[in-house]
Amino acid sequence: GAVVSQHPSWVICKSGTSVKIECRSLDFQATTMFWYRQFPKQSLMLMATSNEGSKATYEQGVEKDKFLINHASLTLSTLTVTSAHPEDSSFYICSATRDGQPQHFGDGTRLSIL
Amino acid sequence: EDQVTQSPEALRLQEGESSSLNCSYTVSGLRGLFWYRQDPGKGPEFLFTLYSAGEEKEKERLKATLTKKESFLHITAPKPEDSATYLCAVQHLNDYKLSFGAGTTVTVRA
């Protein structure tokens, strides 16, 4: 199946710092990538939709200045959590898709803000 | 507003004890219904896509079915390695977004 790589898998940082998470589709060119957030024992909540070469579309309630998304190429999207605080601690997961095919997910990034 | 409800929340099975998971949904225009498997600390792994009522898909011990209001994931003679959280998601007709249910956590004991 399709492979989506997410890096880093785990990051711990101090409150106020910014953290960048990378999502790469390794074996296909992804026209669209999605970013999700998942709290313990809860389902995935869509944060934003990212299309290559255009601005991301954010879901209601998600601060675009807080969660910066860049989709610079058909194989790479990045999510930067700016000035992170403890309430931003969560499991962040990306997915990639092409031409309406099923979304394939990365293995997630566990973010802990101290 | 779209709603995806999965039941039960948790399911404990003995190895070989077949069972079914339910996913009921309301969506304004369904493009497809997806089943994913998620292991702890990992991202979801794609299992099936169902597009129309009456459709069925099978993969090893798993079989997914779809009606106009719900989908079932049948697990036949499960093994311990089938232990995971199974997620159901609906995809909208007008875009490619997925709305996920909360999942059913299946534990299969040897």
Side-chain angles (χ1 to χ4, degrees), chain A residues 6-34:
Chain A
Q6 198 170 331
H7 178 80
S9 57
W10 194 12
V11 59
I12 302 174
C13 61
K14 293 181 179 180
S15 183
T17 59
S18 293
V19 179
K20 180 184 283 189
I21 302 169
E22 290 188 351
C23 178
R24 294 180 183 273
S25 60
L26 299 183
D27 56 356
F28 70 102
Q29 293 188 321
T31 50
T32 306
M33 289 184 170
F34 298 88

PDB file of all heavy atoms in Angstrom, chain A residues 6-34:
ATOM      1  N   GLN A   6       5.906  10.422   8.385  1.00  0.00           N
ATOM      2  CA  GLN A   6       5.726  11.610   9.206  1.00  0.00           C
ATOM      3  C   GLN A   6       6.907  11.709  10.166  1.00  0.00           C
ATOM      4  O   GLN A   6       7.326  10.725  10.765  1.00  0.00           O
ATOM      5  CB  GLN A   6       4.401  11.494   9.970  1.00  0.00           C
ATOM      6  CG  GLN A   6       3.879  12.799  10.515  1.00  0.00           C
ATOM      7  CD  GLN A   6       2.464  12.688  11.049  1.00  0.00           C
ATOM      8  OE1 GLN A   6       1.658  11.881  10.604  1.00  0.00           O
ATOM      9  NE2 GLN A   6       2.163  13.512  12.026  1.00  0.00           N
ATOM     10  N   HIS A   7       7.411  12.935  10.325  1.00  0.00           N
ATOM     11  CA  HIS A   7       8.590  13.125  11.152  1.00  0.00           C
ATOM     12  C   HIS A   7       8.529  14.468  11.878  1.00  0.00           C
ATOM     13  O   HIS A   7       8.120  15.471  11.279  1.00  0.00           O
ATOM     14  CB  HIS A   7       9.855  13.089  10.271  1.00  0.00           C
ATOM     15  CG  HIS A   7      11.115  13.321  11.016  1.00  0.00           C
ATOM     16  ND1 HIS A   7      11.751  12.346  11.753  1.00  0.00           N
ATOM     17  CD2 HIS A   7      11.849  14.452  11.186  1.00  0.00           C
ATOM     18  CE1 HIS A   7      12.823  12.850  12.315  1.00  0.00           C
ATOM     19  NE2 HIS A   7      12.907  14.114  11.983  1.00  0.00           N
ATOM     20  N   PRO A   8       8.867  14.562  13.151  1.00  0.00           N
ATOM     21  CA  PRO A   8       9.315  13.456  13.998  1.00  0.00           C
ATOM     22  C   PRO A   8       8.130  12.649  14.514  1.00  0.00           C
ATOM     23  O   PRO A   8       6.993  13.052  14.362  1.00  0.00           O
ATOM     24  CB  PRO A   8      10.019  14.186  15.145  1.00  0.00           C
ATOM     25  CG  PRO A   8       9.258  15.477  15.272  1.00  0.00           C
ATOM     26  CD  PRO A   8       8.875  15.851  13.869  1.00  0.00           C
ATOM     27  N   SER A   9       8.408  11.515  15.122  1.00  0.00           N
ATOM     28  CA  SER A   9       7.328  10.703  15.678  1.00  0.00           C
ATOM     29  C   SER A   9       6.969  11.168  17.087  1.00  0.00           C
ATOM     30  O   SER A   9       5.850  10.916  17.557  1.00  0.00           O
ATOM     31  CB  SER A   9       7.736   9.227  15.689  1.00  0.00           C
ATOM     32  OG  SER A   9       8.929   9.053  16.429  1.00  0.00           O
ATOM     33  N   TRP A  10       7.920  11.822  17.745  1.00  0.00           N
ATOM     34  CA  TRP A  10       7.670  12.273  19.108  1.00  0.00           C
ATOM     35  C   TRP A  10       8.529  13.502  19.381  1.00  0.00           C
ATOM     36  O   TRP A  10       9.720  13.504  19.044  1.00  0.00           O
ATOM     37  CB  TRP A  10       8.029  11.144  20.073  1.00  0.00           C
ATOM     38  CG  TRP A  10       7.527  11.325  21.468  1.00  0.00           C
ATOM     39  CD1 TRP A  10       6.618  12.224  21.928  1.00  0.00           C
ATOM     40  CD2 TRP A  10       7.916  10.546  22.589  1.00  0.00           C
ATOM     41  NE1 TRP A  10       6.413  12.049  23.258  1.00  0.00           N
ATOM     42  CE2 TRP A  10       7.198  11.025  23.710  1.00  0.00           C
ATOM     43  CE3 TRP A  10       8.810   9.486  22.787  1.00  0.00           C
ATOM     44  CZ2 TRP A  10       7.331  10.477  24.981  1.00  0.00           C
ATOM     45  CZ3 TRP A  10       8.945   8.950  24.057  1.00  0.00           C
ATOM     46  CH2 TRP A  10       8.212   9.449  25.128  1.00  0.00           C
ATOM     47  N   VAL A  11       7.950  14.526  19.940  1.00  0.00           N
ATOM     48  CA  VAL A  11       8.721  15.714  20.283  1.00  0.00           C
ATOM     49  C   VAL A  11       8.223  16.296  21.603  1.00  0.00           C
ATOM     50  O   VAL A  11       7.016  16.363  21.846  1.00  0.00           O
ATOM     51  CB  VAL A  11       8.662  16.761  19.139  1.00  0.00           C
ATOM     52  CG1 VAL A  11       7.226  17.176  18.850  1.00  0.00           C
ATOM     53  CG2 VAL A  11       9.499  17.963  19.436  1.00  0.00           C
ATOM     54  N   ILE A  12       9.190  16.661  22.419  1.00  0.00           N
ATOM     55  CA  ILE A  12       8.906  17.334  23.691  1.00  0.00           C
ATOM     56  C   ILE A  12       9.608  18.673  23.652  1.00  0.00           C
ATOM     57  O   ILE A  12      10.798  18.743  23.334  1.00  0.00           O
ATOM     58  CB  ILE A  12       9.425  16.511  24.885  1.00  0.00           C
ATOM     59  CG1 ILE A  12       8.800  15.120  24.896  1.00  0.00           C
ATOM     60  CG2 ILE A  12       9.122  17.227  26.204  1.00  0.00           C
ATOM     61  CD1 ILE A  12       9.384  14.200  25.961  1.00  0.00           C
ATOM     62  N   CYS A  13       8.890  19.743  23.959  1.00  0.00           N
ATOM     63  CA  CYS A  13       9.549  21.046  23.944  1.00  0.00           C
ATOM     64  C   CYS A  13       8.921  21.971  24.985  1.00  0.00           C
ATOM     65  O   CYS A  13       7.865  21.666  25.556  1.00  0.00           O
ATOM     66  CB  CYS A  13       9.494  21.670  22.552  1.00  0.00           C
ATOM     67  SG  CYS A  13       7.838  21.947  21.961  1.00  0.00           S
ATOM     68  N   LYS A  14       9.597  23.060  25.209  1.00  0.00           N
ATOM     69  CA  LYS A  14       9.154  24.009  26.213  1.00  0.00           C
ATOM     70  C   LYS A  14       8.041  24.895  25.663  1.00  0.00           C
ATOM     71  O   LYS A  14       7.968  25.167  24.455  1.00  0.00           O
ATOM     72  CB  LYS A  14      10.312  24.884  26.668  1.00  0.00           C
ATOM     73  CG  LYS A  14      11.394  24.139  27.431  1.00  0.00           C
ATOM     74  CD  LYS A  14      12.499  25.100  27.866  1.00  0.00           C
ATOM     75  CE  LYS A  14      13.586  24.369  28.648  1.00  0.00           C
ATOM     76  NZ  LYS A  14      14.662  25.294  29.076  1.00  0.00           N
ATOM     77  N   SER A  15       7.222  25.368  26.547  1.00  0.00           N
ATOM     78  CA  SER A  15       6.145  26.276  26.176  1.00  0.00           C
ATOM     79  C   SER A  15       6.718  27.534  25.521  1.00  0.00           C
ATOM     80  O   SER A  15       7.735  28.071  25.972  1.00  0.00           O
ATOM     81  CB  SER A  15       5.350  26.650  27.424  1.00  0.00           C
ATOM     82  OG  SER A  15       4.258  27.464  27.099  1.00  0.00           O
ATOM     83  N   GLY A  16       6.084  27.962  24.427  1.00  0.00           N
ATOM     84  CA  GLY A  16       6.529  29.163  23.728  1.00  0.00           C
ATOM     85  C   GLY A  16       7.367  28.890  22.495  1.00  0.00           C
ATOM     86  O   GLY A  16       7.565  29.792  21.667  1.00  0.00           O
ATOM     87  N   THR A  17       7.842  27.679  22.342  1.00  0.00           N
ATOM     88  CA  THR A  17       8.636  27.352  21.160  1.00  0.00           C
ATOM     89  C   THR A  17       7.734  26.929  20.006  1.00  0.00           C
ATOM     90  O   THR A  17       6.564  26.599  20.209  1.00  0.00           O
ATOM     91  CB  THR A  17       9.648  26.239  21.444  1.00  0.00           C
ATOM     92  OG1 THR A  17       8.935  25.067  21.883  1.00  0.00           O
ATOM     93  CG2 THR A  17      10.625  26.668  22.519  1.00  0.00           C
ATOM     94  N   SER A  18       8.302  26.956  18.804  1.00  0.00           N
ATOM     95  CA  SER A  18       7.559  26.506  17.621  1.00  0.00           C
ATOM     96  C   SER A  18       8.074  25.142  17.191  1.00  0.00           C
ATOM     97  O   SER A  18       9.267  24.857  17.299  1.00  0.00           O
ATOM     98  CB  SER A  18       7.722  27.524  16.487  1.00  0.00           C
ATOM     99  OG  SER A  18       7.095  28.730  16.825  1.00  0.00           O
ATOM    100  N   VAL A  19       7.184  24.325  16.699  1.00  0.00           N
ATOM    101  CA  VAL A  19       7.522  22.957  16.321  1.00  0.00           C
ATOM    102  C   VAL A  19       7.048  22.687  14.900  1.00  0.00           C
ATOM    103  O   VAL A  19       5.896  22.990  14.565  1.00  0.00           O
ATOM    104  CB  VAL A  19       6.849  21.942  17.275  1.00  0.00           C
ATOM    105  CG1 VAL A  19       7.176  20.519  16.861  1.00  0.00           C
ATOM    106  CG2 VAL A  19       7.261  22.201  18.718  1.00  0.00           C
ATOM    107  N   LYS A  20       7.926  22.124  14.086  1.00  0.00           N
ATOM    108  CA  LYS A  20       7.563  21.798  12.709  1.00  0.00           C
ATOM    109  C   LYS A  20       7.451  20.290  12.537  1.00  0.00           C
ATOM    110  O   LYS A  20       8.337  19.541  12.947  1.00  0.00           O
ATOM    111  CB  LYS A  20       8.607  22.342  11.726  1.00  0.00           C
ATOM    112  CG  LYS A  20       8.264  22.030  10.261  1.00  0.00           C
ATOM    113  CD  LYS A  20       9.345  22.474   9.305  1.00  0.00           C
ATOM    114  CE  LYS A  20       9.317  23.952   9.064  1.00  0.00           C
ATOM    115  NZ  LYS A  20      10.240  24.368   7.977  1.00  0.00           N
ATOM    116  N   ILE A  21       6.374  19.865  11.906  1.00  0.00           N
ATOM    117  CA  ILE A  21       6.139  18.447  11.631  1.00  0.00           C
ATOM    118  C   ILE A  21       6.086  18.270  10.116  1.00  0.00           C
ATOM    119  O   ILE A  21       5.397  19.023   9.430  1.00  0.00           O
ATOM    120  CB  ILE A  21       4.815  17.974  12.260  1.00  0.00           C
ATOM    121  CG1 ILE A  21       4.822  18.219  13.772  1.00  0.00           C
ATOM    122  CG2 ILE A  21       4.574  16.501  11.958  1.00  0.00           C
ATOM    123  CD1 ILE A  21       3.468  18.024  14.434  1.00  0.00           C
ATOM    124  N   GLU A  22       6.800  17.271   9.622  1.00  0.00           N
ATOM    125  CA  GLU A  22       6.828  17.006   8.179  1.00  0.00           C
ATOM    126  C   GLU A  22       5.990  15.784   7.825  1.00  0.00           C
ATOM    127  O   GLU A  22       5.971  14.796   8.556  1.00  0.00           O
ATOM    128  CB  GLU A  22       8.268  16.751   7.711  1.00  0.00           C
ATOM    129  CG  GLU A  22       9.153  17.974   7.738  1.00  0.00           C
ATOM    130  CD  GLU A  22      10.493  17.699   7.082  1.00  0.00           C
ATOM    131  OE1 GLU A  22      10.796  16.529   6.765  1.00  0.00           O
ATOM    132  OE2 GLU A  22      11.253  18.665   6.872  1.00  0.00           O
ATOM    133  N   CYS A  23       5.356  15.859   6.674  1.00  0.00           N
ATOM    134  CA  CYS A  23       4.572  14.744   6.153  1.00  0.00           C
ATOM    135  C   CYS A  23       4.975  14.535   4.701  1.00  0.00           C
ATOM    136  O   CYS A  23       4.864  15.453   3.888  1.00  0.00           O
ATOM    137  CB  CYS A  23       3.081  15.075   6.255  1.00  0.00           C
ATOM    138  SG  CYS A  23       1.975  13.802   5.602  1.00  0.00           S
ATOM    139  N   ARG A  24       5.450  13.334   4.394  1.00  0.00           N
ATOM    140  CA  ARG A  24       5.905  13.038   3.036  1.00  0.00           C
ATOM    141  C   ARG A  24       5.186  11.818   2.476  1.00  0.00           C
ATOM    142  O   ARG A  24       5.046  10.802   3.164  1.00  0.00           O
ATOM    143  CB  ARG A  24       7.407  12.729   3.022  1.00  0.00           C
ATOM    144  CG  ARG A  24       8.291  13.894   3.382  1.00  0.00           C
ATOM    145  CD  ARG A  24       9.769  13.508   3.336  1.00  0.00           C
ATOM    146  NE  ARG A  24      10.620  14.609   3.761  1.00  0.00           N
ATOM    147  CZ  ARG A  24      11.072  15.550   2.966  1.00  0.00           C
ATOM    148  NH1 ARG A  24      10.766  15.523   1.672  1.00  0.00           N
ATOM    149  NH2 ARG A  24      11.838  16.520   3.433  1.00  0.00           N
ATOM    150  N   SER A  25       4.726  11.927   1.244  1.00  0.00           N
ATOM    151  CA  SER A  25       4.221  10.748   0.550  1.00  0.00           C
ATOM    152  C   SER A  25       5.399  10.176  -0.233  1.00  0.00           C
ATOM    153  O   SER A  25       5.995  10.859  -1.053  1.00  0.00           O
ATOM    154  CB  SER A  25       3.065  11.107  -0.378  1.00  0.00           C
ATOM    155  OG  SER A  25       3.454  12.032  -1.345  1.00  0.00           O
ATOM    156  N   LEU A  26       5.756   8.933   0.058  1.00  0.00           N
ATOM    157  CA  LEU A  26       7.010   8.373  -0.442  1.00  0.00           C
ATOM    158  C   LEU A  26       6.883   7.708  -1.806  1.00  0.00           C
ATOM    159  O   LEU A  26       7.875   7.617  -2.534  1.00  0.00           O
ATOM    160  CB  LEU A  26       7.571   7.367   0.562  1.00  0.00           C
ATOM    161  CG  LEU A  26       7.907   7.923   1.945  1.00  0.00           C
ATOM    162  CD1 LEU A  26       8.518   6.848   2.828  1.00  0.00           C
ATOM    163  CD2 LEU A  26       8.832   9.130   1.846  1.00  0.00           C
ATOM    164  N   ASP A  27       5.696   7.230  -2.151  1.00  0.00           N
ATOM    165  CA  ASP A  27       5.614   6.473  -3.393  1.00  0.00           C
ATOM    166  C   ASP A  27       4.521   6.953  -4.335  1.00  0.00           C
ATOM    167  O   ASP A  27       4.188   6.264  -5.302  1.00  0.00           O
ATOM    168  CB  ASP A  27       5.441   4.979  -3.104  1.00  0.00           C
ATOM    169  CG  ASP A  27       4.242   4.691  -2.226  1.00  0.00           C
ATOM    170  OD1 ASP A  27       3.578   5.650  -1.775  1.00  0.00           O
ATOM    171  OD2 ASP A  27       3.955   3.507  -1.995  1.00  0.00           O
ATOM    172  N   PHE A  28       3.964   8.149  -4.061  1.00  0.00           N
ATOM    173  CA  PHE A  28       3.024   8.720  -5.021  1.00  0.00           C
ATOM    174  C   PHE A  28       2.986  10.234  -4.822  1.00  0.00           C
ATOM    175  O   PHE A  28       3.374  10.749  -3.772  1.00  0.00           O
ATOM    176  CB  PHE A  28       1.619   8.127  -4.869  1.00  0.00           C
ATOM    177  CG  PHE A  28       0.875   8.528  -3.612  1.00  0.00           C
ATOM    178  CD1 PHE A  28      -0.122   9.495  -3.654  1.00  0.00           C
ATOM    179  CD2 PHE A  28       1.174   7.946  -2.392  1.00  0.00           C
ATOM    180  CE1 PHE A  28      -0.810   9.856  -2.512  1.00  0.00           C
ATOM    181  CE2 PHE A  28       0.497   8.303  -1.236  1.00  0.00           C
ATOM    182  CZ  PHE A  28      -0.500   9.261  -1.298  1.00  0.00           C
ATOM    183  N   GLN A  29       2.521  10.939  -5.827  1.00  0.00           N
ATOM    184  CA  GLN A  29       2.415  12.389  -5.747  1.00  0.00           C
ATOM    185  C   GLN A  29       1.034  12.754  -5.216  1.00  0.00           C
ATOM    186  O   GLN A  29       0.021  12.456  -5.855  1.00  0.00           O
ATOM    187  CB  GLN A  29       2.660  13.019  -7.116  1.00  0.00           C
ATOM    188  CG  GLN A  29       4.098  12.822  -7.583  1.00  0.00           C
ATOM    189  CD  GLN A  29       4.401  13.605  -8.842  1.00  0.00           C
ATOM    190  OE1 GLN A  29       3.571  13.690  -9.733  1.00  0.00           O
ATOM    191  NE2 GLN A  29       5.586  14.191  -8.912  1.00  0.00           N
ATOM    192  N   ALA A  30       1.016  13.371  -4.054  1.00  0.00           N
ATOM    193  CA  ALA A  30      -0.231  13.667  -3.366  1.00  0.00           C
ATOM    194  C   ALA A  30      -0.746  15.052  -3.759  1.00  0.00           C
ATOM    195  O   ALA A  30      -0.117  16.061  -3.465  1.00  0.00           O
ATOM    196  CB  ALA A  30      -0.025  13.602  -1.860  1.00  0.00           C
ATOM    197  N   THR A  31      -1.889  15.090  -4.404  1.00  0.00           N
ATOM    198  CA  THR A  31      -2.474  16.390  -4.753  1.00  0.00           C
ATOM    199  C   THR A  31      -3.040  17.084  -3.527  1.00  0.00           C
ATOM    200  O   THR A  31      -3.111  18.307  -3.470  1.00  0.00           O
ATOM    201  CB  THR A  31      -3.584  16.201  -5.800  1.00  0.00           C
ATOM    202  OG1 THR A  31      -4.486  15.169  -5.332  1.00  0.00           O
ATOM    203  CG2 THR A  31      -3.010  15.781  -7.136  1.00  0.00           C
ATOM    204  N   THR A  32      -3.467  16.284  -2.564  1.00  0.00           N
ATOM    205  CA  THR A  32      -4.059  16.846  -1.343  1.00  0.00           C
ATOM    206  C   THR A  32      -3.513  16.124  -0.123  1.00  0.00           C
ATOM    207  O   THR A  32      -3.376  14.898  -0.138  1.00  0.00           O
ATOM    208  CB  THR A  32      -5.597  16.708  -1.352  1.00  0.00           C
ATOM    209  OG1 THR A  32      -6.110  17.295  -2.547  1.00  0.00           O
ATOM    210  CG2 THR A  32      -6.213  17.413  -0.146  1.00  0.00           C
ATOM    211  N   MET A  33      -3.187  16.911   0.885  1.00  0.00           N
ATOM    212  CA  MET A  33      -2.802  16.349   2.189  1.00  0.00           C
ATOM    213  C   MET A  33      -3.706  16.941   3.259  1.00  0.00           C
ATOM    214  O   MET A  33      -4.156  18.079   3.134  1.00  0.00           O
ATOM    215  CB  MET A  33      -1.340  16.640   2.493  1.00  0.00           C
ATOM    216  CG  MET A  33      -0.370  15.839   1.634  1.00  0.00           C
ATOM    217  SD  MET A  33       1.339  16.127   2.126  1.00  0.00           S
ATOM    218  CE  MET A  33       2.186  14.878   1.177  1.00  0.00           C
ATOM    219  N   PHE A  34      -3.971  16.153   4.274  1.00  0.00           N
ATOM    220  CA  PHE A  34      -4.827  16.594   5.366  1.00  0.00           C
ATOM    221  C   PHE A  34      -4.052  16.507   6.670  1.00  0.00           C
ATOM    222  O   PHE A  34      -3.213  15.629   6.851  1.00  0.00           O
ATOM    223  CB  PHE A  34      -6.069  15.689   5.473  1.00  0.00           C
ATOM    224  CG  PHE A  34      -6.952  15.695   4.252  1.00  0.00           C
ATOM    225  CD1 PHE A  34      -6.715  14.810   3.216  1.00  0.00           C
ATOM    226  CD2 PHE A  34      -8.026  16.569   4.154  1.00  0.00           C
ATOM    227  CE1 PHE A  34      -7.527  14.797   2.085  1.00  0.00           C
ATOM    228  CE2 PHE A  34      -8.841  16.565   3.029  1.00  0.00           C
ATOM    229  CZ  PHE A  34      -8.586  15.678   1.994  1.00  0.00           C
TER     230      PHE A  34
END
